[in-house]
Amino acid sequence: MFRTLLATLVCCAVATASAGCSAQPAADGSKADIAKVLDVKSDFGPEFKVSTVAPTGIDPRLLAQQPLPPGTVFDPPECAKVAEGTTLPQGLKGNMAATTAEGDGNRFIAIAVETSEALTTPDPGDACKKVAFAGGGVRGLVEVVEAPAIDGVRTLGTHRVLQTMVNGKPATGEIYNYLADFSTFRVIVTANPLVEPNKPVTPVDTQRARDLLSAAVKAVRGS
């Protein structure tokens, strides 16, 4: 159950563009190459286990929205869409590539997506910068967090927390999601703590995640 909770968090974060931190004009993507997201593997030392996915078609299962249980109540009520997250438009064509690194108690995933048309970066507005939800044995919170300012790129940052019961005990999962949009490209970085037997949970290194987003965008843009 807890593994399912964490998997849902990752899917939600990858699909979500739920809160804005920086809005700037989209940069020219004429030199961009999603394969370059694989170059960020050099940012991780030997203490990290690194794997990559070469450019391939967009996997709709990875980028699909993971709905919350029926009957979930949201606070504020008008912010349900923010808490649920968004996904790529149905039928959108494109390719993606990714680098995953696990170490120091954290997992970082950098994904670069190229689509057939420019993506819209949602802005929740001031009223939905923090949204609580509860229902179906799950409760949680989605809130705006700091995202790096990148010239010519629209960036987003969110922190999502889910709480549930596993074998009669409370279990919590969390994930940070950082997103950058320019031209027909989207770069996503997710960061979450690893759950390892007989080890305390390590707080997410959010600075490293923000730096990874900046590095991934720079690599993909070829700048």
Side-chain angles (χ1 to χ4, degrees):
M1 174 67 179
F2 192 49
R3 289 180 182 272
T4 302
L5 172 67
L6 292 177
T8 299
L9 272 172
V10 172
C11 289
C12 283
V14 169
T16 296
S18 58
C21 290
S22 174
Q24 300 185 29
D28 177 16
S30 59
K31 298 180 180 178
D33 181 0
I34 61 172
K36 295 297 185 180
V37 77
L38 276 59
D39 293 350
V40 301
K41 63 185 179 182
S42 61
D43 292 358
F44 297 94
E47 70 275 18
F48 282 86
K49 178 182 178 181
V50 181
S51 60
T52 58
V53 176
T56 186
I58 291 176
D59 185 347
R61 295 170 300 176
L62 178 62
L63 298 176
Q65 185 183 55
Q66 298 295 311
L68 292 168
T72 297
V73 177
F74 302 91
D75 182 20
E78 65 272 20
C79 299
K81 292 297 183 182
V82 174
E84 291 173 346
T86 60
T87 187
L88 296 179
Q90 189 172 9
L92 190 71
K93 304 296 183 181
N95 295 294
M96 58 184 290
T99 295
T100 299
E102 295 185 358
D104 285 345
N106 284 183
R107 177 190 293 112
F108 301 94
I109 305 175
I111 302 174
V113 181
E114 181 179 10
T115 61
S116 54
E117 60 187 67
L119 298 173
T120 301
T121 308
D123 183 354
D126 292 338
C128 299
K129 287 188 175 180
K130 181 177 289 189
V131 186
F133 56 89
V138 174
R139 64 175 180 170
L141 177 74
V142 178
E143 60 182 340
V144 174
V145 295
E146 178 187 358
I150 305 174
D151 186 40
V153 178
R154 299 180 297 271
T155 60
L156 308 168
T158 58
H159 176 217
R160 179 181 290 264
V161 179
L162 287 180
Q163 296 178 321
T164 188
M165 298 294 290
V166 178
N167 297 325
K169 296 181 180 180
T172 301
E174 68 169 336
I175 194 161
Y176 287 83
N177 180 52
Y178 301 92
L179 177 150
D181 283 337
F182 62 97
S183 185
T184 56
F185 295 86
R186 172 166 288 180
V187 177
I188 305 162
V189 167
T190 67
N192 65 280
L194 294 172
V195 179
E196 301 175 290
N198 303 316
K199 289 186 178 181
V201 175
T202 302
V204 173
D205 187 342
T206 54
Q207 183 60 57
R208 183 160 202 156
R210 291 191 295 268
D211 291 345
L212 181 59
L213 183 71
S214 298
V217 169
K218 182 177 180 180
V220 170
R221 291 172 72 181
S223 57

